[in-house]
Amino acid sequence: MKRILVSNDDGVHAPGLHALAQAMAPLGDVTVVAPLTEQSAASHALTIHHPLRVREVGPKVLAVDGTPTDCVLLAVREFLDELPDLVVSGINQGGNMGEDVIYSGTVAAAMEGALLGIPAVAFSLASRESRDFGPAADMAARLVRALLGKSLPPRFLLNVNIPALPEDRIQGFRAAKLGSRVYEDDIVRKTDPRGRDYFWIGGADPVWSKSPDSDFQAVQDGFASITPLRLDHTAEEGYGVLAGLDLERS
Ligand code: MN
């Protein structure tokens, strides 16, 4: 029996988490460890300045009052008797494409799995509104069934975005690279009742630069995008820049 750890960033009560846990149930022994409250855009934050409490909110469902990263770390190091075979995160309410993977707590939970040496997949439903996680959960099950038992490269994860479409209108999976977000009108500046300015980040829907092989385009075309991500951020092309710098003491 494969062991599957399920987490997310929308919190332990999110419908997408339950849909994912249910979809995983026929495929393995499922444990859910998720944040007590919503942690969207928590990125890869680790809680180090206050203690973390854990609460059992259901059979094999634990809530931690921390971040997605805290959840996966504690699950693997403290709560589970053995290493899971797979970490799955989601299903997030809203897409995590392009640069969003940098801010995403959903992706971070999967990334933490990869850091701990466990194959991991992040799932997002590319809609802020649709509450129908069923088709996305079916796609998640299809992918995980294919992945379990396969050996994957170390320190590697998959980022999956599923269009909010009925099952029969999803075209299948398409391998895609991270797209690129065009930042415009995404900060709202207003005045509060006491006359002071306030700012609200993330107002507008994201706009994406057009690229035919991007995750954004795949979802637009009705496919579930799959993007392999690595943890090594080294930019090899940067060595040339460094070589050209005069770094001698003057
Ligand atoms: Mn979220």
Side-chain angles (χ1 to χ4, degrees):
M1 190 78 158
K2 298 290 183 185
R3 290 172 300 273
I4 302 172
L5 172 63
V6 181
S7 194
N8 77 342
D9 77 353
D10 291 339
V12 74
H13 300 297
L17 178 77
H18 293 283
L20 183 58
Q22 268 184 13
M24 296 299 106
L27 305 176
D29 179 15
V30 173
T31 303
V32 176
V33 182
L36 185 59
T37 55
E38 186 179 342
Q39 301 290 315
S40 291
S43 186
H44 209 107
L46 192 62
T47 302
I48 57 168
H49 295 295
H50 64 79
L52 294 166
R53 307 282 178 184
V54 57
R55 193 182 298 171
E56 191 165 0
V57 296
K60 302 185 97 169
V61 181
L62 302 175
V64 174
D65 61 347
T67 65
T69 302
D70 297 331
C71 290
V72 173
L73 182 65
L74 288 180
V76 170
R77 293 278 191 78
E78 296 291 327
F79 306 150
L80 297 171
D81 298 328
E82 287 176 275
L83 271 190
D85 297 287
L86 187 72
V87 174
V88 292
S89 178
I91 300 168
N92 190 59
Q93 181 83 66
N96 277 306
M97 296 177 276
E99 288 92 343
D100 279 351
V101 303
I102 296 166
Y103 303 101
S104 167
T106 306
V107 175
M111 214 175 262
E112 184 64 15
L115 273 167
L116 294 165
I118 305 158
V121 191
F123 293 101
S124 301
L125 177 66
S127 164
R128 289 189 191 177
E129 294 86 27
S130 171
R131 296 290 181 271
D132 183 9
F133 287 92
D138 289 345
M139 295 297 281
R142 206 199 295 182
L143 177 61
V144 166
R145 196 178 296 118
L147 277 177
L148 279 173
K150 288 272 189 309
S151 77
L152 297 172
R155 298 166 76 79
F156 157 98
L157 62 143
L158 296 175
N159 184 44
V160 178
N161 283 275
I162 302 139
L165 293 172
E167 182 97 65
D168 57 355
R169 288 187 47 213
I170 299 178
Q171 305 296 309
F173 289 99
R174 183 195 280 174
K177 65 170 195 163
L178 292 178
S180 195
R181 187 170 176 160
V182 182
Y183 291 88
E184 52 184 35
D185 302 331
D186 61 346
I187 298 180
V188 174
R189 179 186 188 140
K190 289 198 167 162
T191 309
D192 76 10
R194 294 195 176 90
R196 292 173 304 197
D197 285 346
Y198 68 88
F199 302 86
W200 205 313
I201 298 172
D205 276 325
V207 180
W208 303 86
S209 64
K210 293 262 176 271
S211 166
D213 51 357
S214 70
D215 45 10
F216 174 67
Q217 191 63 50
V219 168
Q220 194 86 319
D221 293 344
F223 289 86
S225 67
I226 310 185
T227 305
L229 300 177
R230 69 166 91 90
L231 300 178
D232 183 350
H233 292 194
T234 310
E236 269 80 14
E237 67 275 24
Y239 288 126
V241 178
L242 300 184
L245 297 178
D246 179 7
L247 296 173
E248 294 303 306
R249 276 180 210 275
S250 53

